[in-house]
């Protein structure tokens, strides 16, 4: 301001009053403040701008998700109907179904496999108390080997169900981008009918029995099941036949749970239901405890709704419906124009019923649409499930009557109420009020979630008080997928991590990291060696298999090649080397202390540990030095001193002996060969 006033005489000599009362000074003050505010806004990046910039480089906030869980119903002995939004409790945490399903009438009664020309019984896999691993295809799975699942009944033709198979996972396996992509093996699934075995469509999330997970089955339509007999076992049958069998690890099953149904971790506090025009509507409330009901009817096609009051008698005239309350939260609504004078028309979504819990009913009014830009309204709940959220907007027509519209987030139409939901914080931001300025807003539908807390561990028992007084529903696998929507700071952190993550392979370490993360593989050891003269990278890989000396199969080579081809420099070549194994013969004489009776066993064990590169910490090409073996033996408590030690590789093609040290090739792993040990009891007295 001072700089501006001092510049006035240089511009004009007519302006001589610089007091605050002068209108020119007032205008100048306003312009300076406006400039300061503009400068502050320009120098400050808003959250909206940050989100837009991150979106330009492919980073958007990941949406929140409800955790998903599979439950068994094998504690039920007869068919039970589970309705939509049925609630299951694990302590204070609530899980709900998303669709109605019938359960409890299908149970596994036996499991058998066929390999090596005979049947093998695995009925113990149905006993949760007995955890006994079963190699269901033996030590050498082959194409044509089969598994049979016998049960007392099968789901209705055309319906879906899920199995959960728990596998003894001895080695860490990298995740696949597509969880249904089976690299090493595949099955052909069938069910037995009067016309023989018929194909079942299956999504296999276990990698053909390599990882614990779900197998989702969809049964064919227009079939008639028949019982199948195999020796002394009779029942309805599902068969899985190996089409390909290039396993890196032999399948080893711990347990099988069948005929599961889905539940999702969410707690519905307000529920909106729509119905076509009917005279009588019957509803089962999913709310725990007392619930409250609002009823709306559409009297003109594609028009707003009118409120219908609930009446317990037929003596009133107006917009009423007959409300009759039953047991266990059940109630019915009856519309009759002859009795009340009004009723919904025969149009799409003619009736909308809102069911509230008592908690929501006490605070279901959330605010009023004022009409200014980005109006923010705080909701009484946070961590909302977005696809369950719905607002009721109440307006007054020219005749002074109330009419109602139901508005979901993100609706963009002419004159519509457009808003977005900040589900973590429990807020809405009105982007465009449209024709809804002055409208009163109410909660119309809402469910909340606990996000990652819903990813509960496996093997819990759930309560469903409406279905049983005892906890008979069991989850064989953990909850998955539960997460809150990412915050802006979490998106920025993920972006920074991605920027600093090495994707293109340049150094030997880059190649090793790329191979270690190859999708679907078990990798135990990697060694990359750069050959700068030939611009070639040699990569030795030890797969994580249950073989004593694992081999590198074609499936591994193909998967590694695909990964490296996407990440190598275009001018750089690479060569994948399979592991070779060389035994090391050891001859030694050791003086041992008299008081140790197991000194020989201790020494042999230590020698094998030092030489075992396959299971030990040593990597491809690491030298085996005389000093480390000598010191490793002499450090044993039972050893007095090492008198003589000699080591020699049993194959000089892949390892050489120099200065008493062994130097393996770049793709060579050493292992204990022949050990010739002579122990002599030391004559030195030891106190």
């Amino acid at each position: 301001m001072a700089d501006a006033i001092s510049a006035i005489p240089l511009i004009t000599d007519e302006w001589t009053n610089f007091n605050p009362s002068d209108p020119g000074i007032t205008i100048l003050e306003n312009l300076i403040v406006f400039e300061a505010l503009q400068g502050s806004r320009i120098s400050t990046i808003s959250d909206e701008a940050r989100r837009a910039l991150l979106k330009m480089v492919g980073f958007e906030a990941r949406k929140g998700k409800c955790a998903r869980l599979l439950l068994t119903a094998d504690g039920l002995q007869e068919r039970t109907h589970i309705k939509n939004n049925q609630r299951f409790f694990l302590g204070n945490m609530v899980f709900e179904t998303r669709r109605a399903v019938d359960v409890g009438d299908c149970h596994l009664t036996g499991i058998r496999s066929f390999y090596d020309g005979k049947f093998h019984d695995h009925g113990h896999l149905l006993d949760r108390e007995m955890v006994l691993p079963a190699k269901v295809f033996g030590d050498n799975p082959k194409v044509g080997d089969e598994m049979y699942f016998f049960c007392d009944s099968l789901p209705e033709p055309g319906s879906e169900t899920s199995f959960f198979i728990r596998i003894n996972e001895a080695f860490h396996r990298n995740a696949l981008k597509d969880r249904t992509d089976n690299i090493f093996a595949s099955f052909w699934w069938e069910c037995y009918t009067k016309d023989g075995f018929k194909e079942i469509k299956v999504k296999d999330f276990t990698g053909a029995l390599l990882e614990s997970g779900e197998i989702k089955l969809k049964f064919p339509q227009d079939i008639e099941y028949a019982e199948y007999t195999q020796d002394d076992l009779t029942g309805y049958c599902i068969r899985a036949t190996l089409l390909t069998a290039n396993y890196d690890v032999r399948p080893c099953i711990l347990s099988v749970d069948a005929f599961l149904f889905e539940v999702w971790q969410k707690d519905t506090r307000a529920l909106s239901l729509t119905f076509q025009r009917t005279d009588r509507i019957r509803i089962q409330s999913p709310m725990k405890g007392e619930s409250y009901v609002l009823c709306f009817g559409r009297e003109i096609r594609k028009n707003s709704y009118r409120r219908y009051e609930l009446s317990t008698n037929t003596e009133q005239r107006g917009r009423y419906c007959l409300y009759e309350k039953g047991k266990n939260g059940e109630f019915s609504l009856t519309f009759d124009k002859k009795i009340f004078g009004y009723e919904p028309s025969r149009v799409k979504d003619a009736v909308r019923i809102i069911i509230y819990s008592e908690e929501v009913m006490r605070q279901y009014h959330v605010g009023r649409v004022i009409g200014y830009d980005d109006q923010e309204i705080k909701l009484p709940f946070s961590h909302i499930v977005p696809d369950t959220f719905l607002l009721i907007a109440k307006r007054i027509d020219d005749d002074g009557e109330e009419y109602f519209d139901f508005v979901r987030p993100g609706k963009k139409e002419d004159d519509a109420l457009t808003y977005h939901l900040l589900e973590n914080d429990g807020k809405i931001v009105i982007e465009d009020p449209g024709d809804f300025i002055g409208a009163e807003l109410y909660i119309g539908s809402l469910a909340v979630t606990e996000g990652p807390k819903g990813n509960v561990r496996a093997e819990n028992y759930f309560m469903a008080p409406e279905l049983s007084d005892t906890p008979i529903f069991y989850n064989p696998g953990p909850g998955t997928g539960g997460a809150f929507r990412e915050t802006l700071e979490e998106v920025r952190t993920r972006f920074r991590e991605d920027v600093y993550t090495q994707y293109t392979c340049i150094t030997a370490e880059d190649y090793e990291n790329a191979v270690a993360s190859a999708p679907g593989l078990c990798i135990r050891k990697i060694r990359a060696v750069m050959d700068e003269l030939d611009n070639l990278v040699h990569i030795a890989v030890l797969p994580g298999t249950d073989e004593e000396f694992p081999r590198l199969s074609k499936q591994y080579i193909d998967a590694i090649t695909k990964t490296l081809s996407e990440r190598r420099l275009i001018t750089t070549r690479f060569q994948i080397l399979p592991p070779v194994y060389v035994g090391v013969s050891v001859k030694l004489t050791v003086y041992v202390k008299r008081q140790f009776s197991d000194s020989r066993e201790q020494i042999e064990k230590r020698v094998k540990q030092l030489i075992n590169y396959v299971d030990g910490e040593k990597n491809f090409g690491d030298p085996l030095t005389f000093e480390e073996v000598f010191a490793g033996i002499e450090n044993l408590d039972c050893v007095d001193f090492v008198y003589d030690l000699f080591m020699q590789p049993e194959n000089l093609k892949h390892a050489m002996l120099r200065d008493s040290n062994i130097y393996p090739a770049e793709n060579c792993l050493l292992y204990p060969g022949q050990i010739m040990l002579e122990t002599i009891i030391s004559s030195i007295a030891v106190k």
Side-chain angles (χ1 to χ4, degrees):
M1 185 69 183
D3 291 342
I5 291 175
S6 64
I8 291 174
L10 302 177
I11 300 171
T12 178
D13 56 1
E14 296 180 3
W15 191 346
T16 58
N17 184 1
F18 303 145
N19 295 315
S21 59
D22 182 72
I25 295 298
T26 301
I27 293 172
L28 187 61
E29 287 175 340
N30 282 312
L31 290 173
I32 287 172
V33 170
F34 180 71
E35 183 184 36
L37 291 173
Q38 276 194 320
S40 174
R41 188 171 180 83
I42 290 170
S43 62
T44 302
I45 303 177
S46 65
D47 286 350
E48 289 76 15
R50 293 183 191 277
R51 289 191 182 93
L53 290 169
L54 288 165
K55 186 177 180 180
M56 289 176 64
V57 291
F59 283 81
E60 291 187 85
R62 291 170 176 163
K63 295 180 180 180
K65 292 182 179 180
C66 301
R68 176 180 178 270
L69 202 64
L70 292 172
L71 293 183
T72 69
D74 53 8
L76 300 172
Q77 298 305 316
E78 59 183 18
R79 175 172 290 200
T80 302
H81 180 73
I82 296 180
K83 64 180 184 295
N84 185 23
N85 292 110
Q86 175 67 53
R87 297 158 71 88
F88 297 84
F89 295 88
L90 181 63
N92 294 325
M93 191 174 295
V94 182
F95 290 77
E96 297 179 355
T97 57
R98 285 188 175 177
R99 61 185 179 89
V101 61
D102 291 324
V103 299
D105 57 341
C106 300
H107 307 85
L108 279 181
T109 57
I111 300 176
R112 288 184 175 178
S113 64
F114 180 82
Y115 64 89
D116 293 341
K118 59 183 179 180
F119 289 99
H120 304 264
D121 185 69
H122 306 293
H124 65 277
L125 296 177
L126 303 179
D127 186 354
R128 296 194 186 110
E129 303 299 325
M130 183 192 306
V131 181
L132 183 63
K135 290 184 178 179
V136 291
F137 300 120
D139 291 326
N140 185 27
K142 298 179 293 298
V143 172
D145 289 351
E146 299 168 336
M147 280 195 72
Y148 292 84
F149 301 91
F150 286 86
C151 45
D152 55 9
S153 181
L154 286 175
E156 294 292 332
S159 62
E160 293 184 355
T161 191
S162 292
F163 284 22
F164 188 90
I165 300 184
R166 191 155 63 99
I167 306 297
N168 184 20
E169 301 173 47
F171 303 97
H172 168 74
R173 188 176 297 276
N174 297 329
L176 286 164
K177 295 178 181 178
D178 181 356
R179 293 172 55 216
T180 62
D181 186 12
N182 297 332
I183 299 176
F184 301 101
S186 61
F187 284 100
W188 178 265
W189 290 81
E190 301 164 294
C191 62
Y192 191 71
T193 71
K194 287 192 173 182
D195 299 319
F197 281 100
K198 296 292 184 181
E199 179 188 3
I200 303 173
K201 293 183 178 179
V202 167
K203 289 184 178 180
D204 186 351
F205 298 96
T206 69
L209 305 184
L210 286 177
E211 294 182 288
S212 299
E214 175 187 5
I215 296 178
K216 185 175 290 187
L217 304 92
K218 183 173 182 179
F219 293 88
Q221 296 184 1
D222 301 325
I223 59 172
E224 186 175 353
Y225 299 123
E227 289 191 336
Y228 181 79
T229 300
Q230 188 182 96
D231 295 336
D232 59 336
L233 192 58
T234 298
Y236 296 95
C237 182
I238 297 172
R239 182 173 70 182
T241 306
L242 274 174
L243 291 180
T244 57
N246 301 308
Y247 282 109
D248 57 344
V249 177
R250 303 171 185 89
C252 188
I253 297 179
L254 296 177
S255 65
V256 177
D257 289 274
F259 309 113
L260 314 178
F261 62 96
E262 297 175 315
V263 293
W264 305 80
Q265 196 285 301
K266 63 186 180 75
D267 185 0
T268 298
R269 308 291 180 86
L271 179 64
S272 173
L273 303 172
T274 57
F275 300 89
Q276 309 308 317
R277 170 68 178 91
T278 57
D279 295 332
R280 184 179 175 88
I281 297 172
R282 289 183 175 86
I283 301 172
Q284 177 73 48
S285 172
M287 302 299 170
K288 182 181 180 182
E290 189 68 23
S291 60
Y292 299 84
V293 180
L294 296 182
C295 178
F296 301 87
R298 178 177 278 164
E299 297 172 352
I300 301 175
R301 184 172 178 268
K302 294 186 177 180
N303 210 341
S304 300
Y305 287 81
R306 301 290 180 170
R307 172 83 178 272
Y308 279 71
E309 299 292 342
L310 308 183
S311 175
T312 57
N313 59 68
T314 59
E315 299 175 359
Q316 305 182 69
R317 295 285 292 178
R319 288 191 174 93
Y320 290 97
C321 61
L322 182 63
Y323 174 72
E324 296 174 288
K325 191 173 182 179
K327 298 180 179 179
N328 300 322
E330 183 178 328
F331 63 91
S332 67
L333 302 176
T334 304
F335 301 90
D336 195 324
K337 190 172 183 177
K338 294 180 180 180
I339 296 175
F340 299 112
Y342 292 89
E343 67 179 2
S345 299
R346 297 182 181 275
V347 296
K348 183 179 180 182
D349 298 338
V351 178
R352 189 180 285 266
I353 306 298
I354 311 296
I355 306 174
Y356 293 106
S357 67
E358 182 176 1
E359 180 185 15
V360 177
M361 193 65 187
R362 291 179 182 275
Q363 47 191 340
Y364 76 138
H365 179 253
V366 297
R368 185 182 182 192
V369 180
I370 306 300
Y372 60 83
D373 291 344
D374 294 334
Q375 178 187 353
E376 190 175 286
I377 297 178
K378 177 68 177 175
L379 302 173
F381 300 94
S382 58
H383 299 308
I384 299 168
V385 181
D387 58 4
T388 68
F389 188 73
L390 178 70
L391 282 178
I392 305 174
K394 182 180 77 173
R395 293 180 285 177
I396 308 296
D397 63 16
D398 296 337
D399 298 328
E401 293 190 1
E402 298 176 347
Y403 63 102
F404 301 83
D405 292 276
F406 297 85
V407 189
R408 294 195 179 276
K411 183 178 181 181
K412 295 183 179 180
E413 296 177 359
D414 292 341
D415 302 325
L417 176 64
T418 303
Y419 69 96
H420 64 266
L421 173 68
L422 304 177
E423 63 262 33
N424 285 358
D425 301 326
K427 297 178 182 178
I428 63 168
V429 179
I430 299 176
E431 303 165 25
D432 184 358
D435 285 344
F436 286 77
I437 295 176
E440 299 292 340
L441 301 179
Y442 303 85
I443 293 174
S445 178
L446 175 141
V448 297
T449 180
E450 298 191 44
K453 287 186 179 180
N455 300 326
V456 298
R457 64 175 179 81
E459 302 177 12
N460 299 291
Y461 284 92
F462 287 70
M463 288 289 297
E466 296 178 18
L467 301 174
S468 173
D469 296 331
T470 58
I472 58 176
F473 298 95
Y474 170 84
N475 66 308
T480 57
F484 294 132
R485 184 181 180 87
E486 273 190 319
T487 64
L488 176 59
E489 189 54 42
E490 288 171 337
V491 180
R492 294 177 65 189
T493 299
R494 185 160 54 89
F495 170 68
R496 287 194 295 266
E497 290 175 352
D498 186 78
V499 168
Y500 290 107
T501 298
Q502 184 69 33
Y503 182 81
T504 303
C505 295
I506 298 174
T507 66
E509 184 181 1
D510 296 338
Y511 279 90
E512 291 174 358
N513 291 336
V515 173
S517 61
L521 303 187
C522 297
I523 304 294
R524 287 166 63 181
K525 294 180 186 293
I526 317 155
R527 171 59 61 84
V529 178
M530 314 293 287
D531 186 344
E532 297 181 2
L533 293 177
D534 290 338
N535 200 23
L536 179 67
V537 183
H538 294 161
I539 307 164
V541 181
L542 177 68
T545 71
D546 49 8
E547 298 173 311
E548 183 180 3
F549 297 108
R551 58 185 181 85
L552 198 63
S553 66
K554 181 180 182 300
Q555 286 72 30
Y556 269 79
I557 294 174
D558 290 345
I560 294 170
T561 300
K562 181 179 178 182
T563 298
L564 295 181
S565 297
E566 296 171 350
R567 302 178 62 170
R568 68 178 177 87
L569 292 173
I570 194 169
T571 58
T572 303
R573 298 175 296 119
F574 61 85
Q575 182 180 5
I576 301 171
L577 303 177
V580 294
Y581 306 94
V582 172
V584 175
S585 298
V586 180
K587 183 178 181 181
L588 69 165
T589 302
V590 181
Y591 280 77
V592 298
K593 298 173 183 177
R594 185 181 300 275
Q595 67 269 29
F596 290 91
S597 60
D598 62 342
S599 56
R600 186 178 187 88
E601 290 78 9
Q602 289 189 47
I603 296 169
E604 288 183 349
K605 182 178 179 181
R606 176 59 59 86
V607 171
K608 290 178 179 178
Q609 287 176 343
L610 293 169
I611 300 176
N612 189 353
Y613 282 30
V614 178
D615 299 317
E617 296 181 359
K618 290 274 193 176
N619 203 351
F620 291 100
D622 287 348
L624 180 67
T625 64
F626 180 89
E627 287 79 7
E628 66 178 309
V629 177
F630 187 95
I633 300 170
E634 199 161 50
N635 288 337
L636 289 171
D637 292 337
C638 64
V639 173
D640 192 4
F641 64 92
V642 178
Y643 178 77
D644 186 32
L645 172 64
F646 177 74
M647 304 183 302
Q648 182 175 354
E650 296 177 351
N651 184 344
L652 297 177
K653 180 179 179 181
H654 298 291
M656 65 178 182
L657 180 65
R658 188 174 63 203
D659 298 331
S660 299
N661 302 321
I662 297 176
Y663 296 88
E666 60 187 5
N667 65 326
C668 178
L669 294 172
L670 303 178
Y671 68 91
Q674 185 179 10
I675 298 176
M676 294 173 285
L677 170 62
E678 181 183 2
T679 57
I680 302 174
I681 298 176
S682 177
S683 59
I684 301 175
V686 180
K687 294 183 180 179

